[in-house]
Amino acid sequence: MRHLVSIEGLLSEQVIGLVDKALEPLNHLNVFPGEFIGLIFLEPSSRTRVSFECAAHLLNVKAVYVEEKGSSLEKDETLKDTILNFRSMGIKVFVVRCKDEKELLELQNISGVKIINAGDGRREHPTQALLDLATLRSFYSWKQLKEKTLAIIGDLKSSRVAQSWSKLAPLVGINLRLISPLTWKPEWGGEWKHFSSLAEGLSGADFAMSLRVQKERHSEEEKAVTADFIKNFQLKAEHLGKEMMFMHPGPVNWGVELHEELQSDPQSLILLQAKYGVDLRRALLSEFFEALPRLP
Ligand code: NCD
């Protein structure tokens, strides 16, 4: 894998190999002392950033964190120039979160570095979809997963996680359903059935994943739907029955996309997703560093 900016272009074997590596016990770790990763986060993050830091630490790699405030990005330096300078300092792997979708895609052309997309605007968040998959894989074999249906509920139009999932699901044979008010129906994902009724969309599904309402990205028209969404699409215990497990990429707005009664529900996989976030990112970084020339 040259970079990971999108799920597009990945092969099934690569996805399966990476997820299985994430699930391997820690005693098989290769370590990379003397190496660095650059974490460039131009939008807020808790789980993604910290899990990359934890993953790097486990690999004996030093994580260097850069945010807009306090760096030369605040003085309008481009991401490209920032990365070129950091490359000269010896950083070869960059984890980037930004608002601008095109900017991240352009970084792929910089030679001698590897780029990991940690979320670009409304486009993609490939490592989140992969860690969600690792969470499901921790319960089921690849063969069993091919018979499963995941229902993704909520602000699909703004969700980079859901868009990455729409490309990931076919690579492992998982069936997707997309559930949202019509105003939040995305332009992508035409291959999956869309439901504007929560009960209908969940009927027969094996897992549910709710998404945060991304108010910071909303137009006035998109904002106006939130009250109706809370009334008709908020996930509650009654929708899940006794069996259905549910996920959420976080951060959760309790009382919006998930009812507060689900906060410590045993069918929740949310905290397990955080754990597999470290494992998946460790596997990915390890794969990237294994492919780079070793330090003398
Ligand atoms: C998501 C993101 O930033 O895209 N969160 C995450 O990375 N865990 C989802 C969100 O912000 O709602």
Side-chain angles (χ1 to χ4, degrees):
M1 216 185 292
R2 166 89 170 90
H3 302 288
L4 181 58
V5 300
S6 171
I7 296 292
E8 212 166 301
L10 289 185
L11 305 171
S12 297
E13 304 88 85
Q14 286 174 310
V15 168
I16 289 170
L18 184 65
V19 168
D20 283 345
K21 190 176 170 124
L23 297 175
E24 273 171 20
L26 285 179
N27 49 11
H28 292 304
L29 278 189
N30 262 346
V31 289
F32 306 91
E35 296 286 5
F36 297 92
I37 57 167
L39 302 176
I40 306 182
F41 277 70
L42 310 185
E43 281 190 348
S45 173
S46 294
R47 276 152 291 271
T48 305
R49 192 198 107 192
V50 172
S51 61
F52 269 111
E53 287 192 21
C54 293
H57 181 75
L58 290 168
L59 297 172
N60 225 337
V61 167
K62 168 89 182 146
V64 182
Y65 175 58
V66 181
E67 59 185 334
E68 192 158 10
K69 199 164 165 19
S71 75
S72 288
L73 290 158
E74 218 181 5
K75 301 178 189 168
D76 296 331
E77 185 169 39
T78 62
L79 260 178
K80 184 177 174 194
D81 281 343
T82 303
I83 289 179
L84 285 172
N85 281 271
F86 289 170
R87 183 186 67 182
S88 296
M89 298 175 192
I91 307 178
K92 298 176 208 130
V93 176
F94 293 89
V95 178
V96 182
R97 170 170 287 191
C98 63
K99 284 190 187 65
D100 186 337
E101 305 159 12
K102 283 192 212 86
E103 203 174 6
L104 194 122
L105 291 174
E106 281 163 14
L107 302 178
Q108 297 178 90
N109 303 324
I110 304 175
S111 65
V113 298
K114 286 185 168 289
I115 306 292
I116 299 173
N117 178 358
D120 56 343
R122 289 179 167 197
R123 201 185 65 90
E124 275 214 49
H125 192 354
T127 61
Q128 178 67 45
L130 286 162
L131 77 87
D132 299 337
L133 178 62
T135 308
L136 297 179
R137 170 74 181 94
S138 71
F139 292 93
Y140 297 101
S141 67
W142 291 113
K143 191 161 173 272
Q144 288 170 320
L145 283 175
K146 279 191 199 301
E147 275 136 42
K148 302 292 182 196
T149 296
L150 168 65
I152 308 188
I153 308 147
D155 190 357
L156 298 163
K157 199 169 177 177
S158 298
S159 177
R160 48 199 184 198
V161 179
Q163 190 166 177
S164 283
W165 254 109
S166 79
K167 296 171 185 168
L168 182 61
L171 296 178
V172 291
I174 292 180
N175 181 38
L176 279 197
R177 292 185 188 176
L178 302 176
I179 308 175
S180 75
L182 280 178
T183 315
W184 292 352
K185 184 178 173 187
E187 275 161 27
W188 50 262
E191 67 275 40
W192 307 112
K193 196 159 162 40
H194 180 270
F195 296 81
S196 34
S197 147
L198 180 60
E200 251 179 65
L202 283 179
S203 160
D206 299 286
F207 322 107
M209 182 196 289
S210 279
L211 303 166
R212 184 176 64 87
V213 176
Q214 310 237 333
K215 49 184 188 291
E216 73 278 18
R217 303 189 202 279
H218 280 174
S219 64
E220 287 310 312
E221 191 201 353
E222 287 163 356
K223 250 192 201 103
V225 180
T226 306
D228 169 65
F229 173 79
I230 296 174
K231 192 160 161 253
N232 295 310
F233 294 85
Q234 185 188 81
L235 199 62
K236 302 188 177 92
E238 70 191 60
H239 302 120
L240 296 164
K242 290 204 165 54
E243 302 255 296
M244 198 185 292
M245 295 191 284
F246 66 96
M247 300 194 281
H248 189 301
V252 178
N253 288 147
W254 296 104
V256 181
E257 59 271 2
L258 293 179
H259 192 285
E260 290 92 339
E261 69 190 4
L262 295 179
Q263 265 170 18
S264 43
D265 193 288
Q267 285 158 243
S268 169
L269 301 181
I270 297 173
L271 297 180
L272 212 50
Q273 286 173 273
K275 172 206 156 18
Y276 286 111
V278 177
D279 295 345
L280 188 280
R281 286 159 179 145
R282 170 187 41 80
L284 177 67
L285 291 177
S286 168
E287 208 164 276
F288 274 14
F289 281 109
E290 275 159 21
L292 286 170
R294 299 303 291 258
L295 290 172

